[in-house]
């Protein structure tokens, strides 16, 4: 835990300190450059707000409605037969939609099964190997006014699905 | 696709809330999430401004061009429609690097910047290019070197060896990335997702 944290913050800080330092060596007015770049940030945010509000509200509704639990109940018998633990189902369903919801489910799984359980490791691996695809697509494409996203959602969801199945299989193989 | 999905999510939520008896929770969630979304955007604004500022320094210092040049062979193959020295390459590279290291806060600004640059090469306004779909998929499958979130939660939950998931996550993301990229290569040629087909 300690060393991972250390590496993680180390890399983070090397970005923050390293880039201005190198810029200084290259004789650039680093603060002027910084301010000029930072200005752009607000334009992007202004364009994202409508998409963010639309998506977050819809996903919040889905979360509050109990749909994930309902769907998980329906799918459980089918997926347990192919070796997917039923406890992971709410996580798998929530993950492409919402980072907050899937983090909450992960915490719940760890609490129910214990931090050293195989299921908890599967769930944690799953969080790391997947992404909130629908959110990413909505924000990234929304910001530049792309309405026809073509195969982006399909491919993102395929990558998520494979990441989930691979997480389960690899944890069983290496940690089980 | 996005519109359909959005309506679908809302309708499914309403129906499910009736079935599960969570109608009240659903109603209060709407105003709460709208408020949360706006606050999220404001928070993101500060982070975004900071990272785009840093990125501008890196750009002016010639760092991004150097970095993009370094892994040009790989990027060229993934994004054949993007000129090798285009600013989009640098932004995509930084986004991918930040994602691999689990630096989600840094990844989003670079990703948004990359999409904006990619859109300058877009000759069909409002329709995603092959490069954009490829980039979005790389983002969602992203090879993960430091799965910071999972490690933190496992450690908090009392796991003795939370860093066990570093290896499992790395392997799982390598698989999902390979499959994701193959899917993009396959679908971008498919008639169903052709630009002309989607545009009409």
């Amino acid at each position: 835990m300690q060393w991972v944290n250390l590496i993680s913050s180390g890399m983070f800080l090397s970005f923050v300190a390293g880039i201005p330092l190198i810029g200084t060596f290259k004789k650039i007015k680093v603060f002027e450059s910084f301010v000029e770049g930072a200005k752009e940030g607000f334009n992007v945010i202004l364009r994202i707000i409508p998409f963010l509000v639309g998506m977050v509200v819809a996903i919040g509704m889905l979360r509050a409605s109990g749909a994930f639990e309902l769907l998980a109940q329906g799918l459980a018998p089918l997926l347990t037969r192919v070796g997917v633990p039923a406890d992971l189902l709410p996580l798998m369903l929530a993950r492409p939609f919402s980072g907050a919801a899937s983090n909450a489910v992960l915490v719940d799984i760890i609490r129910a099964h214990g931090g050293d359980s195989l299921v908890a490791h599967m769930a944690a691996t799953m969080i790391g190997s997947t992404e909130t695809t629908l959110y990413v697509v909505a924000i990234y494409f929304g910001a530049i006014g792309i309405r026809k996203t073509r195969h982006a959602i399909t491919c993102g969801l395929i990558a998520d699905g494979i990441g989930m199945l691979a997480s389960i299989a690899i944890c069983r193989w290496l940690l089980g | 696709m996005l519109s359909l999905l959005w309506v679908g999510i809302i309708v499914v939520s309403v129906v499910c809330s009736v079935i599960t008896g969570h109608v009240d929770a659903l109603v209060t969630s709407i105003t709460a999430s709208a408020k949360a979304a706006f606050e999220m955007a404001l928070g993101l604004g500060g982070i975004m401004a900071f990272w785009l500022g840093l990125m501008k320094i890196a750009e002016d210092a010639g760092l991004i061009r150097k970095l993009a040049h370094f892994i040009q062979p790989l990027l060229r193959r993934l994004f054949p429609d993007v000129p090798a020295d285009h600013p989009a390459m640098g932004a995509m590279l930084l986004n991918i690097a930040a994602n691999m290291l689990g630096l989600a806060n840094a990844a989003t600004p670079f990703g948004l910047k990359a999409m904006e640059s990619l859109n300058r090469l877009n000759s069909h306004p409002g329709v995603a290019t092959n490069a954009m779909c490829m980039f979005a998929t790389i983002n969602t499958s992203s090879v993960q070197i430091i799965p910071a979130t999972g490690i933190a939660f496992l450690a908090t939950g009392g796991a003795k060896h939370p860093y066990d998931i570093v290896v499992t996550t790395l392997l799982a993301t390598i698989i999902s990335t390979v499959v994701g990229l193959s899917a993009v290569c396959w679908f971008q040629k498919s008639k169903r997702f052709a630009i002309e087909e989607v545009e009409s």
Side-chain angles (χ1 to χ4, degrees), chain A residues 65 70, chain B residues 14-23:
Chain A
S65 72
L70 210 63
Chain B
V14 173
V15 173
C16 284
S17 73
V18 174
I19 297 171
T20 56
H22 287 167
V23 180

Side-chain angles (χ1 to χ4, degrees), chain A residues 90-102:
Chain A
L91 179 65
M92 296 171 75
L93 291 171
R95 182 59 180 156
F97 293 95
S98 164
S102 44

Side-chain angles (χ1 to χ4, degrees), chain A residues 25-104:
Chain A
F25 282 129
K26 297 246 168 170
K27 306 216 186 320
I28 286 168
K29 289 180 180 156
V30 283
F31 195 69
E32 273 88 338
S33 287
F34 176 85
V35 170
E36 201 189 316
K39 268 185 211 156
E40 272 181 68
F42 296 101
N43 296 328
V44 179
I45 291 306
L46 283 182
R47 258 174 290 149
I48 295 179
I49 287 177
F51 296 91
L52 204 62
V53 171
M55 219 51 194
V56 169
V57 168
I59 289 162
M61 285 173 76
L62 196 62
R63 215 177 131 190
S65 72
F68 292 130
E69 291 80 3
L70 210 63
L71 207 60
Q73 263 172 24
L75 288 174
L78 189 83
L79 284 174
T80 31
R81 203 173 301 164
V82 285
V84 176
D87 298 293
L88 292 179
L89 270 177
L91 179 65
M92 296 171 75
L93 291 171
R95 182 59 180 156
F97 293 95
S98 164
S102 44
N103 281 347

Side-chain angles (χ1 to χ4, degrees), chain B residues 93-109:
Chain B
L93 193 71
L94 285 175
N95 167 271
I96 294 166
N99 256 330
M100 285 174 119
L101 302 176
L103 308 175
N105 278 345
T108 310

Side-chain angles (χ1 to χ4, degrees), chain A residues 9 11-21 30-45, chain B residues 41-59 64 94 98 103-110 112-113:
Chain A
S9 356
M11 293 205 212
F12 191 82
L13 289 176
S14 66
F15 265 108
V16 177
I19 292 172
L21 205 62
V30 283
F31 195 69
E32 273 88 338
S33 287
F34 176 85
V35 170
E36 201 189 316
K39 268 185 211 156
E40 272 181 68
F42 296 101
N43 296 328
V44 179
I45 291 306
Chain B
L42 284 184
L44 192 63
I47 299 164
M48 181 100 196
F50 178 72
W51 284 105
L52 286 184
L54 272 189
M55 193 173 148
K56 181 75 182 150
I57 299 176
E59 203 182 311
I64 291 184
L94 285 175
L103 308 175
N105 278 345
T108 310
F110 295 145
L112 289 168
K113 174 90 187 160

Side-chain angles (χ1 to χ4, degrees), chain A residues 98-164:
Chain A
S98 164
S102 44
N103 281 347
V105 178
L106 173 64
V107 170
D108 197 56
I109 290 172
I110 294 174
R111 198 171 39 207
H113 295 266
D116 285 320
S117 65
L118 182 61
V119 174
H121 281 76
M122 284 176 175
T125 302
M126 219 177 250
I127 288 273
S129 35
T130 50
E131 185 48 77
T132 47
T133 296
L134 295 175
Y135 173 81
V136 167
V137 170
I139 301 308
Y140 278 20
F141 286 93
I144 52 171
I146 299 277
R147 273 182 312 251
K148 313 275 186 184
T149 55
R150 292 176 64 213
H151 49 292
I153 294 178
T154 311
C155 292
L157 291 180
I158 289 174
D160 274 348
I162 295 296
M164 289 170 186

